[in-house]
Amino acid sequence: MNNLEWLWPHPQTLGRDGSFPAPTEINFTGCGLPGHLEPDFDRLKGIRRTESPLAYTIRLSHEDAALGPEAYLLVLNPDGGHLSAGGQAGLAYGLQTLLQVIVLSQGGTWPEVMIRDRPAFRKRAFMADLGRSVYPLPMLKRIVRILHRLKMNQLHLHLYDDELCGLRFEGLPFGQDNPFALSMDELAELVRYARARQVEIVPELEAWGHVGSLVHHRKHLRGGEGMYRGSSFLVCEESFSLIREMVSQVAAVMPEKATIHLGLDEANWFPGPDMPEGFTPTDMVQRYYDLLQDVAAEQSKDLT
């Protein structure tokens, strides 16, 4: 029995026409199996990966101009299979579907199928809240693998909040009191690990409210309570300078084109004495946008 209705996410087009005996050996030809997926196929029970021409052969291609970069076409029949994709992401997503088809196939048979799929949404994200719980690097890597399996392409890292700081900033006390906080080198490693699996890391730095774990070490920068009894920054030049330093450190380990989220929610307005008369939250948002673009120019990166 082939439980293809359990494929997740379910493909947009699924055609099937009978079944055939499950092979015991499989040979990938064409552009080759991506290295990060080799262990997944090697762990399959009852089937061995080989280069023998006598094995069941699946031809791989990621240069099909008729398909989008995340789209793929997977065909399996008794004579062999082929997986065509419009890019590396589509190839990886098609291989994830193939893994599911093999695992879901029971009774010694594989389904004869034609599966055509592409993501329905451009961004498919999950957030890990490092500001309220601990997420050591191995756990975050496991989350990346799960996201890749589910064809999700973004991991949003909420780096700190009132309760906890999940990233150790260099030359600053933030995160130093959390033994499970990521180092900057570990964040860089996670970014590389995720990119190889078509997952974008989006770090979030709170820049107004939710800053209790920061102002615990910089008490003079606490303007007052946030909207939910947390802490809001004192809106002042020193706060802007601090966030700029933190953004700069995070940006340095991000790829050339990256998104950095500056959190500006659930805070109350406490302008410092060095702010000009009439300085508003709208002005603050503009300052932070300019700050981000200044860092991008300094590091020759495209930051949004």
Side-chain angles (χ1 to χ4, degrees), residues 66-293:
L67 298 169
E70 294 186 297
Y72 66 89
L73 172 65
L74 172 64
V75 176
L76 300 175
N77 57 51
D79 299 323
H82 70 262
L83 171 60
S84 300
Q88 290 286 355
L91 177 68
Y93 295 158
L95 287 166
Q96 294 288 5
T97 297
L98 175 61
L99 281 166
Q100 291 188 41
V101 169
I102 295 173
V103 171
L104 291 172
S105 296
Q106 301 174 12
T109 63
W110 277 16
E112 189 171 347
V113 296
M114 182 177 73
I115 296 174
R116 187 185 299 270
D117 197 20
R118 61 177 176 80
F121 300 97
R122 188 169 62 91
K123 295 296 184 182
R124 301 160 320 266
F126 176 84
M127 186 183 81
D129 191 349
L130 281 65
R132 295 186 178 94
S133 187
V134 294
Y135 285 86
L137 183 59
M139 181 184 294
L140 289 169
K141 286 185 172 180
R142 184 183 182 193
I143 291 172
V144 166
R145 293 194 298 273
I146 292 171
L147 295 181
H148 187 38
R149 181 81 80 215
L150 298 177
K151 306 181 179 79
M152 298 176 72
N153 65 353
Q154 197 174 80
L155 175 57
H156 188 113
L157 296 183
H158 184 65
L159 292 174
Y160 53 83
D161 209 289
D162 289 308
E163 294 82 4
L164 196 64
C165 183
L167 179 66
R168 289 196 294 274
F169 290 86
E170 297 173 2
L172 296 169
F174 314 136
Q176 305 300 332
D177 45 2
N178 176 3
F180 295 100
L182 298 177
S183 67
M184 283 295 169
D185 286 343
E186 287 177 324
L187 178 58
E189 180 180 345
L190 179 64
V191 169
R192 292 190 297 269
Y193 186 87
R195 287 188 73 191
R197 290 156 180 81
Q198 288 76 46
V199 176
E200 175 190 12
I201 299 296
V202 178
E204 177 185 356
L205 292 87
E206 293 289 355
W208 188 7
H210 298 276
V211 292
S213 62
L214 304 188
V215 298
H216 172 75
H217 299 282
R218 295 284 190 273
K219 291 181 172 54
H220 63 289
L221 292 182
R222 185 179 189 271
E225 284 194 358
M227 291 178 63
Y228 297 99
R229 301 183 66 181
S231 293
S232 297
F233 264 136
L234 179 68
V235 181
C236 63
E237 292 297 338
E238 186 175 348
S239 295
F240 288 133
S241 296
L242 177 61
I243 293 299
R244 191 186 196 287
E245 170 60 24
M246 296 168 69
V247 168
S248 182
Q249 289 192 29
V250 170
V253 303
M254 300 298 290
E256 290 185 4
K257 183 177 177 60
T259 297
I260 294 179
H261 183 123
L262 294 183
L264 296 167
D265 67 329
E266 298 177 352
N268 289 313
W269 188 239
F270 299 99
D274 57 352
M275 289 294 96
E277 185 177 352
F279 192 79
T280 68
T282 300
D283 297 323
M284 179 184 66
V285 171
Q286 184 65 52
R287 280 289 301 269
Y288 278 127
Y289 175 79
D290 294 341
L291 177 156
L292 185 64
Q293 296 312 307

